[in-house]
Amino acid sequence: MSLVEDLERYRLLLDEALCQATAHYATGVESLKDAMAYAVEGGKRLRGATVLAVAEDLGCGVQEALGPALAVEMVHAYSLVHDDLPCMDDDEFRRGKPSCHKRYGEAVALLAGDALLTEAFEVMATYGALPLDRRTLCVRTLAHAAGPGGMVAGQVIDLALEGRKLGPDAVTLMYSLKTGALFGAAAKLGALAANAREDVQKAAESWGKSFGLAFQIVDDIDDLKQGGKELVKDTLVKESSLDHAIALARSTLDESLAALGPFGGKGRFLRELSLNYLDKIK
Amino acid sequence: MSLVEDLERYRLLLDEALCQATAHYATGVESLKDAMAYAVEGGKRLRGATVLAVAEDLGCGVQEALGPALAVEMVHAYSLVHDDLPCMDDDEFRRGKPSCHKRYGEAVALLAGDALLTEAFEVMATYGALPLDRRTLCVRTLAHAAGPGGMVAGQVIDLALEGRKLGPDAVTLMYSLKTGALFGAAAKLGALAANAREDVQKAAESWGKSFGLAFQIVDDIDDLKQGGKELVKDTLVKESSLDHAIALARSTLDESLAALGPFGGKGRFLRELSLNYLDKIK
């Protein structure tokens, strides 16, 4: 199957499972349930697909890896909801529709984000058939990547950069924490679900950290081409140059490919995804 | 040892461990680390003490139960930070000092809350020496109580009540979700840490749900006596009467005592805490 077909298959699976999980866990209060469902709706599911693809590549069924995959998508969705709030980026649109607080009000959006973050851990601890001890390793991985040593730290650096020129290194660190950490966790969660050897888990995480950083830089470059957010936001292109950004994206994607050594002949999806992104900046 | 002495011992232990954990997990970004430390500072630690006391009463060392106890306090602290934000209760003071967003700004306070919630799960999955499988059960318990089927649902009902008279039943449900659920989880976490029988775990949770509800009602009554928040906030006293509130607190505390049957001769701390609260409304 091609990369595009794989991505579409994973996306459909995740869309349906996210819809069911949100309805199952968020009982009782309608506005909260609606806001949570609205917030998870419509993503590309690249992070969740990474979990499923790594697990499948390593011989684990997608059903087994679905809990961690849903959790990663919930964490990603919560981060977007909070990121869009007026006290943060104050974005009115997200995923082609009004952002969560525009639709449900600031308070409910804040709480829907909190609920998605909490539910991510509940889902990982309860959904599907993974053994209990391995679930704890999944919780460690996701919490570490999403918390104050990972994604949230990246958000704080993002705030600190606003209106100040701190240079390309600070932007790169911010991208690594904000985006790289969660992709690293996603790939490692797939390896954990498949009960892979420790060196394979580390290789998966390492691929994800590099790919996530490159993903964010390519996003910048795309925005520049479309004349979008780089005008107002701190991006690597703005802090250095287009050439520098392209060179860094390329070397980071090369690193992601090099990290896959311990996968041996496996890891097709990760390899193809890196090559696909290299292609985008050719 | 008396209840007061126990509470003081647990408080000191939790204060120190919270301080260390925040410094350990939140590396790199100073403003985030400071805001997290500020947010956990100064509580009474009643929820964390409940975890430790149940564990000790059931023959488990406090060190073993410290991970879940820290996690419960972090979840409680995050909920206060987000609750105080301008789009929620807009409170300028908390625990006798400026609220987190007054001190660090809205964006950093929002992110410090997110970080504390995430770190709670990391701590529970990594801190101390509990077996991995039992940690997953702890994550389930806390996530369920704190998420969209528990505390967050209570917050949304609280918002919905604002400026509308929905009657005492809605307020009681809101209290059960907002406060009862987390006390229920705290007591159950202590039993889980001690690897107690399932009926004892359930009894602990049941005690916590009743005690938490009563705790919130007694808080109302105290506020009324001091001429405080009941003037502006929806409280049970406002939705019914002082007599009704006192009667409900009393019967709920009686229920909490009755729930302790499966503890046999154990559960001294929980019993004394319920009796102490019965005494407050005599």
Side-chain angles (χ1 to χ4, degrees):
Chain A
M1 242 189 270
S2 74
L3 183 70
V4 174
E5 285 168 330
D6 274 336
L7 280 169
E8 184 59 12
R9 179 166 60 97
Y10 293 137
R11 192 182 64 75
L12 291 172
L13 198 70
L14 286 162
D15 278 353
E16 200 191 321
L18 274 167
C19 197
Q20 283 173 2
T22 319
H24 175 77
Y25 289 96
T27 45
V29 182
E30 287 306 317
S31 61
L32 178 61
K33 206 194 288 195
D34 292 349
M36 289 171 74
Y38 185 83
V40 296
E41 217 176 63
K44 290 192 298 286
R45 314 294 181 214
L46 199 51
R47 291 155 188 82
T50 297
V51 180
L52 299 179
V54 173
E56 266 203 322
D57 269 351
L58 296 170
C60 162
V62 281
Q63 284 302 325
E64 281 237 77
L66 207 44
L70 293 175
V72 168
E73 285 295 333
M74 286 173 178
V75 165
H76 179 53
Y78 120 77
S79 75
L80 299 180
V81 171
H82 282 189
D83 213 26
D84 288 343
L85 285 171
C87 71
M88 298 281 294
D89 284 356
D90 197 10
D91 275 323
E92 301 200 350
F93 290 92
R94 170 66 69 179
R95 290 174 169 174
K97 56 185 189 178
S99 51
C100 194
H101 68 275
K102 277 283 152 195
R103 178 79 173 69
Y104 291 94
E106 271 184 67
V108 171
L110 169 70
L111 293 168
D114 291 345
L116 283 168
L117 174 57
T118 315
E119 196 180 304
F121 292 103
E122 184 171 9
V123 164
M124 207 148 45
T126 55
Y127 191 99
L130 280 185
L132 289 184
D133 53 350
R134 228 183 292 160
R135 290 174 189 270
T136 287
L137 302 179
C138 291
V139 171
R140 276 184 195 173
T141 300
L142 184 56
H144 186 72
M151 194 176 71
V152 176
Q155 306 268 41
V156 177
I157 296 177
D158 199 2
L159 287 173
L161 288 174
E162 221 156 273
R164 293 157 63 185
K165 275 190 100 62
L166 294 187
D169 286 355
V171 178
T172 306
L173 173 64
M174 184 258 283
Y175 286 0
S176 292
L177 292 166
K178 233 181 122 162
T179 312
L182 199 56
F183 270 104
K188 188 178 175 185
L189 286 169
L192 275 170
N195 205 18
R197 287 196 323 261
E198 208 154 314
D199 62 329
V200 177
Q201 290 175 32
K202 277 192 184 149
E205 188 174 27
S206 179
W207 173 87
K209 285 181 173 176
S210 296
F211 177 77
L213 171 56
F215 172 86
Q216 195 63 59
I217 301 173
V218 173
D219 198 50
D220 277 7
I221 297 169
D222 282 350
D223 271 332
L224 183 76
K225 286 180 187 159
Q226 288 159 27
K229 74 176 173 199
E230 65 76 47
L231 296 169
V232 288
K233 287 198 70 166
D234 296 288
T235 65
L236 188 65
V237 177
K238 200 168 152 194
E239 291 282 344
S240 57
S241 67
L242 181 59
D243 283 348
H244 176 261
I246 289 175
L248 185 62
R250 196 170 289 148
S251 68
T252 311
L253 287 166
D254 285 341
E255 274 168 35
S256 76
L257 288 165
L260 292 176
F263 274 75
K266 293 174 177 172
R268 182 184 59 83
F269 179 93
L270 304 187
R271 194 168 290 119
E272 286 183 7
L273 202 52
S274 291
L275 291 171
N276 180 273
Y277 270 73
L278 272 170
D279 222 44
K280 281 182 194 262
I281 47 170
K282 222 174 23 195
Chain B
M1 244 191 268
S2 74
L3 182 69
V4 175
E5 285 168 330
D6 275 336
L7 280 169
E8 184 60 11
R9 179 167 59 96
Y10 294 137
R11 192 182 64 74
L12 291 173
L13 198 69
L14 287 163
D15 278 352
E16 200 192 320
L18 274 166
C19 197
Q20 283 174 2
T22 318
H24 175 77
Y25 289 97
T27 45
V29 183
E30 287 306 317
S31 62
L32 178 60
K33 206 195 287 195
D34 291 349
M36 290 171 73
Y38 186 82
V40 296
E41 215 177 64
K44 289 193 297 287
R45 314 293 183 214
L46 200 50
R47 291 154 188 82
T50 297
V51 180
L52 298 180
V54 173
E56 267 204 320
D57 270 351
L58 296 170
C60 162
V62 280
Q63 284 302 326
E64 280 237 77
L66 206 45
L70 293 175
V72 169
E73 285 296 332
M74 286 172 177
V75 166
H76 179 52
Y78 119 78
S79 76
L80 299 180
V81 172
H82 282 190
D83 212 27
D84 288 344
L85 285 171
C87 69
M88 298 282 295
D89 284 357
D90 197 10
D91 275 322
E92 303 200 350
F93 291 93
R94 170 66 68 179
R95 291 174 168 173
K97 55 184 187 178
S99 50
C100 194
H101 67 276
K102 277 283 153 193
R103 178 79 172 72
Y104 291 94
E106 270 184 68
V108 171
L110 170 69
L111 292 168
D114 292 344
L116 283 168
L117 175 56
T118 314
E119 196 181 303
F121 292 103
E122 184 171 11
V123 164
M124 207 146 47
T126 55
Y127 192 98
L130 280 185
L132 289 183
D133 54 350
R134 228 183 290 160
R135 290 174 189 270
T136 287
L137 302 178
C138 290
V139 170
R140 276 184 195 173
T141 299
L142 184 56
H144 186 73
M151 193 176 72
V152 176
Q155 306 269 40
V156 177
I157 296 177
D158 199 1
L159 287 174
L161 286 173
E162 221 155 273
R164 292 157 63 187
K165 275 190 99 62
L166 294 187
D169 286 354
V171 178
T172 307
L173 173 64
M174 185 259 282
Y175 286 0
S176 291
L177 292 165
K178 233 181 121 161
T179 312
L182 198 56
F183 269 104
K188 188 179 175 184
L189 285 169
L192 275 169
N195 205 19
R197 287 198 323 262
E198 207 155 313
D199 63 329
V200 177
Q201 290 175 33
K202 279 194 183 145
E205 187 174 29
S206 178
W207 173 88
K209 286 181 172 176
S210 296
F211 176 78
L213 171 57
F215 173 85
Q216 196 63 59
I217 302 173
V218 173
D219 198 49
D220 276 8
I221 297 169
D222 281 351
D223 271 331
L224 182 76
K225 285 180 187 162
Q226 288 159 26
K229 75 177 175 198
E230 65 76 45
L231 296 168
V232 288
K233 287 198 69 165
D234 296 288
T235 64
L236 188 65
V237 176
K238 200 169 152 193
E239 290 282 344
S240 57
S241 67
L242 182 59
D243 283 349
H244 175 261
I246 290 174
L248 184 62
R250 196 170 288 146
S251 67
T252 311
L253 287 166
D254 285 342
E255 275 168 35
S256 75
L257 287 165
L260 292 175
F263 274 76
K266 291 172 178 173
R268 180 183 61 83
F269 179 93
L270 303 187
R271 194 168 291 119
E272 286 184 8
L273 202 51
S274 291
L275 291 171
N276 180 273
Y277 270 73
L278 272 171
D279 221 46
K280 281 182 193 262
I281 47 169
K282 220 170 32 192

